[in-house]
Amino acid sequence: MQFLQFLDRLIPYDTFLNDLAARIVKYLKSDNADPEFVSQRKAYEMFGRRNVERWRRQGKVVCYKRPGKVEYRTADLRLLQRTVQDYFDNTSSDINRNSLDAKK
């Protein structure tokens, strides 16, 4: 029997694979009803305005501008929602500060 070694324990490969498959199926079922794109207002409601604005500022999500509306790809927002965020990452704020300094 094969095992996967993590920092805190050993897990049989079959157990890991079954848990992973169950989690993927759960995500597929929950995301099945999502539209491909959501409006900016709906994105703010679903994921929080500050989250969406931070992801956009950091370049993690792209907005699509159409006549009279701004939209986001729902799958991209869901992925970011499920990703552990580093709120102390200063790279985006350093980039913004450097671009402001260059304009002076």
Side-chain angles (χ1 to χ4, degrees):
M1 178 179 262
Q2 296 179 355
F3 288 89
L4 291 175
Q5 182 174 356
F6 293 95
L7 292 176
D8 58 344
R9 68 181 101 174
L10 285 173
I11 298 176
Y13 180 74
D14 291 338
T15 302
F16 173 78
L17 199 59
N18 288 335
D19 290 348
L20 180 64
R23 185 170 287 194
I24 290 171
V25 167
K26 179 180 137 189
Y27 287 152
L28 287 172
K29 284 183 179 180
S30 69
D31 296 353
N32 190 27
D34 284 347
E36 186 175 359
F37 289 92
V38 293
S39 68
Q40 183 167 296
R41 182 171 14 139
K42 185 69 173 173
Y44 288 170
E45 289 173 12
M46 293 171 65
F47 304 100
R49 181 179 185 137
R50 298 201 47 151
N51 288 330
V52 174
E53 288 176 350
R54 183 180 66 251
W55 296 333
R56 185 173 172 188
R57 188 176 56 250
Q58 291 175 345
K60 294 180 178 181
V61 69
V62 177
C63 70
Y64 297 90
K65 295 183 180 181
R66 310 204 183 195
K69 63 168 50 175
V70 175
E71 295 180 324
Y72 297 91
R73 189 180 303 275
T74 310
D76 296 343
L77 295 170
R78 288 275 183 217
L79 176 65
L80 289 168
Q81 180 186 35
R82 294 179 179 132
T83 304
V84 175
Q85 303 290 318
D86 184 8
Y87 297 102
F88 298 108
D89 181 18
N90 290 328
T91 56
S92 62
S93 60
D94 291 342
I95 291 169
N96 290 340
R97 263 190 253 127
N98 291 338
S99 65
L100 290 175
D101 291 341
K103 290 180 182 178
K104 289 182 181 179

